[in-house]
Amino acid sequence: MELAEIMKEKVFAVAGDTLNEEKYACKIKKGLEEGGYKAYGVGKELSSFNEIPEEIDIIDLCINAVKGLKLLQECKKSFKCIVIQPGAESEELLSYLKENNLPYIQGCLLVGLSLYAKGKK
C-alpha cells in the first residue's frame, strides 16, 4: 500500500505514548481523530492490539522497535498494513515482517494526514 491508499482507510491503531502531548504517537492519534478517523492508542491506553473491539485497518508503529515487534508478535487481529514511523524500525522488526509476509511501509502518518486526509484532494 502507498500512503495515499492508507489514508483512505478508517480504523487506525497507533502504538506508542498516545497520552503524552509531547510525543509523536499522541500527535498522530489526535490528528487522525480530528481528521474523522477512528484511532486507538496501544501501549499506554490499551496494552495490546487484541484489545481493540473492532477490525483494524492500519497499525501505526510510533514506538521503540523492540516493543513494536513484541506487540506485533502477540497480535491475533487482522489488518491491512503497518506503517513504521521514522525511528521505529529495526533490522529485527523488518526481518519479522518480511518472514511473515506482513504488509508494511516506512512512512509518516503526519505527512499522510497533511497530504491525503479525508476531504483533501
Side-chain angles (χ1 to χ4, degrees):
M1 287 183 102
E2 297 292 325
L3 197 53
E5 293 174 87
I6 285 169
M7 299 315 299
K8 291 177 183 172
E9 298 299 335
K10 294 175 179 61
V11 181
F12 289 75
V14 181
D17 188 348
T18 53
L19 298 176
N20 181 344
E21 292 185 5
E22 301 290 312
K23 300 287 186 177
Y24 279 105
C26 183
K27 293 174 184 177
I28 291 165
K29 182 177 178 249
K30 185 177 179 184
L32 287 167
E33 290 170 337
E34 289 173 353
Y37 299 91
K38 190 112 180 223
Y40 293 92
V42 177
K44 296 289 184 179
E45 295 177 69
L46 301 171
S47 61
S48 160
F49 296 122
N50 300 322
E51 292 178 29
I52 295 173
E54 62 184 306
E55 292 298 312
I56 302 168
D57 293 321
I58 304 297
I59 290 176
D60 181 52
L61 296 180
C62 192
I63 194 169
N64 172 288
V66 173
K67 292 178 183 173
L69 176 58
K70 185 173 187 284
L71 285 169
L72 288 174
Q73 290 169 331
E74 295 170 351
C75 183
K76 294 176 176 40
K77 296 187 76 88
S78 62
F79 53 86
K80 296 177 183 171
C81 192
I82 298 164
V83 177
I84 305 169
Q85 295 287 144
E89 74 283 342
S90 71
E91 286 303 317
E92 189 178 11
L93 173 65
L94 296 175
S95 293
Y96 174 81
L97 296 173
K98 289 173 188 164
E99 288 165 15
N100 290 280
N101 292 318
L102 296 173
Y104 74 91
I105 67 164
Q106 291 181 266
C108 179
L109 286 186
L110 290 175
V111 172
L113 282 166
S114 70
L115 295 177
Y116 309 112
K118 292 179 179 182
K120 296 209 176 193
K121 299 270 183 215

